[in-house]
Amino acid sequence: MAVLYFFREPETVFDCAGFICILQFLMGCNGFGIRGSNFRISRASRIYSMSVAIAALCCLFVSLSVLLAAEDVKERLAKADNLVLSISALELVMSTLVFLVTVISLQVFARRHLGIYQRLAALDARLMSDFGANLNYRKMLRKNIVMLGIVTIIYLMAINSAAVQVASGHRALFLLFALCYTIVTGGPHFTGYVHMTLAEMLGIRFRLLQQLLKPEFLNWRFPQLHVQELRIRQVVSMIQELHYLVQEINRVYALSLWAAMAHDLAMSTSELYILFGQSVGIGQQNEEENGTGYRMLGYVALVMIPPLYKLLIAPFYCDRTIYEARRCLRLVEKLDDWFPQKSSLRPLVESLMSWRIQAKIHFTSGLDVVLSRKVIGLFTSILVNYLLILIQFAMTQKMGEQIEQQKIALQEWIGF
């Protein structure tokens, strides 16, 4: 694709993940920067991350306080729906807390976070030098650029269009508020996407190791018995290393991922309520109010896209990676049957199977919430049930209004 002409041809995992890590770093949500083709932790990168976080929060609340002191803004807020204002205030408070949790936790675990990429790079070097593997970094980089580009454009359009709509005589302040709000909410969103990308990277390597463990490939690529046994041991050690990386990702992202998921679920239900309430109200108001309602619908729908995507798609990537990991372990179990002449492989297989029973590897967030397809079903059922409750409530309310109108009409007909 033409967009890749602006980027250097990726040769390492650092080049592949550099684009998303730069965005994460620019929003202050990790403690390492990029120098050349490697990631580095330095005093300057730490200071920058903390400075961006503090500046974004200070500018956010200073601009908000100035706007709330303006008379025309006070008049608009007085006419606004109290429940919508409460949800907006809740969103601002929760987003701030999630941003603080994300920044602080990833600063604390910055060296471990960097270590994940360094260990992946070392594993990739072994795959390419010893097995001649092609990891196709270009495809992964293209996906990151396209996906994050689309999500970023949608998110910025939603926030800035809302700022322009409500900005009458305070456009500069509203745009400053919108920029700071984008950093505060976008940082955790990008962090969730980085976690999703790491899970996908591990899944790709698990699938590659499955191909390397097949006896047809081993017999063709390494006909010498001693070399073949050495390569089998290397593959088994890399499978175990990838399992350890799953555990390390869980430690680094436990707190930030849990906070972001709680925020996304809470705000998705609130925004769903706003969408439903606005859609029911449209058509029963004058033309100007209907236009405002349509704009509100569009804004809320656009803002809901990134958290919903992250909430529902991320567990799918995690579940698929764990599925590929289990397939790798099942192939390791068959090594005794495939290579009966190599008795030295039996202790290796037995030790790995014993470790597998004890480890029980899964992607988790805080409070040991397992990220799998069951979680997707749970989140989907919560949202669907909430929507059904809203529909039932609206029908009950509408039925009550109709009964009241019938009573009034009947009383007028009788003559009371």
Side-chain angles (χ1 to χ4, degrees):
M1 296 177 66
V3 69
L4 289 182
Y5 292 134
F6 298 99
F7 295 85
R8 183 176 57 186
E9 186 70 23
E11 298 177 354
T12 65
V13 71
F14 298 111
D15 297 331
C16 179
F19 177 71
I20 55 175
C21 287
I22 285 175
L23 293 175
Q24 193 182 22
F25 174 71
L26 290 176
M27 295 190 175
C29 288
N30 67 30
F32 55 84
I34 297 178
R35 186 177 300 171
S37 296
N38 292 314
F39 299 159
R40 291 283 188 274
I41 294 179
S42 63
R43 183 178 297 177
S45 64
R46 295 276 198 177
I47 293 174
Y48 172 82
S49 297
M50 296 306 297
S51 300
V52 167
I54 294 171
L57 290 175
C58 290
C59 292
L60 179 72
F61 286 101
V62 168
S63 59
L64 180 62
S65 61
V66 174
L67 287 171
L68 292 178
E71 292 298 328
D72 56 340
V73 176
K74 287 182 180 179
E75 292 177 2
R76 292 186 185 183
L77 294 178
K79 297 177 182 178
D81 186 87
N82 290 330
L83 187 57
V84 173
L85 291 178
S86 301
I87 292 173
S88 302
L90 177 65
E91 154 67 10
L92 190 61
V93 172
M94 289 190 68
S95 297
T96 302
L97 292 176
V98 172
F99 182 68
L100 284 173
V101 168
T102 302
V103 171
I104 293 172
S105 64
L106 290 182
Q107 285 291 328
V108 171
F109 294 110
R111 297 197 179 277
R112 281 190 162 186
H113 193 189
L114 177 60
I116 293 171
Y117 291 102
Q118 291 173 338
R119 291 164 68 176
L120 266 178
L123 188 142
D124 289 354
R126 292 167 60 189
L127 284 171
M128 289 185 286
S129 62
D130 297 337
F131 297 92
N134 178 16
L135 292 165
N136 205 355
Y137 292 124
R138 182 183 178 86
K139 183 178 179 181
M140 190 72 182
L141 177 61
R142 182 174 63 225
K143 179 184 176 183
N144 289 336
I145 293 171
V146 172
M147 181 61 65
L148 285 180
I150 293 173
V151 172
T152 302
I153 290 171
I154 292 174
Y155 201 62
L156 288 176
M157 281 176 57
I159 294 175
N160 287 288
S161 62
V164 170
Q165 289 292 334
V166 299
S168 55
H170 312 278
R171 182 159 296 181
L173 277 175
F174 272 109
L175 290 177
L176 177 62
F177 176 81
L179 175 63
C180 296
Y181 180 77
T182 302
I183 294 174
V184 169
T185 56
H189 288 330
F190 277 118
T191 299
Y193 189 81
V194 171
H195 177 271
M196 192 189 312
T197 304
L198 283 171
E200 186 178 11
M201 284 182 174
L202 297 191
I204 291 170
R205 282 146 187 81
F206 276 126
R207 288 194 294 273
L208 177 59
L209 292 175
Q210 291 170 27
Q211 301 300 318
L212 299 181
L213 270 180
K214 289 184 177 179
E216 296 84 4
F217 172 81
L218 291 170
N219 291 328
W220 167 75
R221 187 71 172 78
F222 309 108
Q224 301 89 350
L225 293 181
H226 66 284
V227 176
Q228 189 178 94
E229 183 174 349
L230 176 63
R231 295 295 182 249
I232 291 174
R233 289 181 176 275
Q234 286 180 325
V235 173
V236 172
S237 69
M238 285 189 280
I239 291 174
Q240 194 167 15
E241 172 69 6
L242 288 176
H243 280 82
Y244 284 133
L245 283 176
V246 173
Q247 294 178 323
E248 192 69 6
I249 292 171
N250 290 339
R251 295 188 191 100
V252 171
Y253 284 92
L255 193 56
S256 61
L257 198 63
W258 177 82
M261 290 176 65
H263 166 268
D264 293 343
L265 185 60
M267 296 318 302
S268 294
T269 53
S270 300
E271 289 166 351
L272 196 62
Y273 179 82
I274 294 175
L275 280 176
F276 185 79
Q278 289 291 332
S279 62
V280 169
I282 289 176
Q284 302 175 4
Q285 301 167 338
N286 58 45
E287 187 175 347
E288 183 179 353
E289 290 177 340
N290 284 339
T292 304
Y294 281 121
R295 286 193 294 270
M296 174 67 77
L297 282 176
Y299 166 72
V300 175
L302 288 175
V303 170
M304 280 184 67
I305 291 175
L308 275 181
Y309 176 81
K310 187 177 58 174
L311 191 68
L312 300 178
I313 302 301
F316 172 77
Y317 279 101
C318 296
D319 186 79
R320 189 170 63 177
T321 297
I322 297 302
Y323 171 74
E324 299 295 345
R326 289 172 181 164
R327 289 188 63 186
C328 282
L329 293 174
R330 283 196 290 268
L331 291 177
V332 172
E333 283 183 296
K334 298 179 181 178
L335 288 176
D336 280 342
D337 300 330
W338 290 340
F339 305 99
Q341 72 277 14
K342 295 184 176 63
S343 58
S344 58
L345 290 178
R346 183 168 299 173
L348 177 67
V349 174
E350 290 177 353
S351 64
L352 187 64
M353 292 303 105
S354 176
W355 172 84
R356 170 195 179 182
I357 295 173
Q358 297 174 1
K360 295 181 180 179
I361 305 297
H362 293 285
F363 278 103
T364 60
S365 64
L367 304 179
D368 291 331
V369 177
V370 178
L371 300 177
S372 63
R373 300 190 185 191
K374 292 181 180 178
V375 175
I376 300 176
L378 175 64
F379 291 157
T380 305
S381 65
I382 290 173
L383 295 175
V384 171
N385 288 334
Y386 186 75
L387 183 60
L388 291 176
I389 291 171
L390 290 178
I391 293 173
Q392 185 177 7
F393 176 76
M395 291 177 65
T396 304
Q397 187 179 21
K398 192 172 183 180
M399 188 179 298
E401 292 175 355
Q402 289 177 350
I403 293 174
E404 190 65 27
Q405 289 174 0
Q406 289 175 358
K407 285 183 179 178
I408 294 172
L410 184 60
Q411 289 173 356
E412 290 178 352
W413 182 72
I414 293 175
F416 286 101

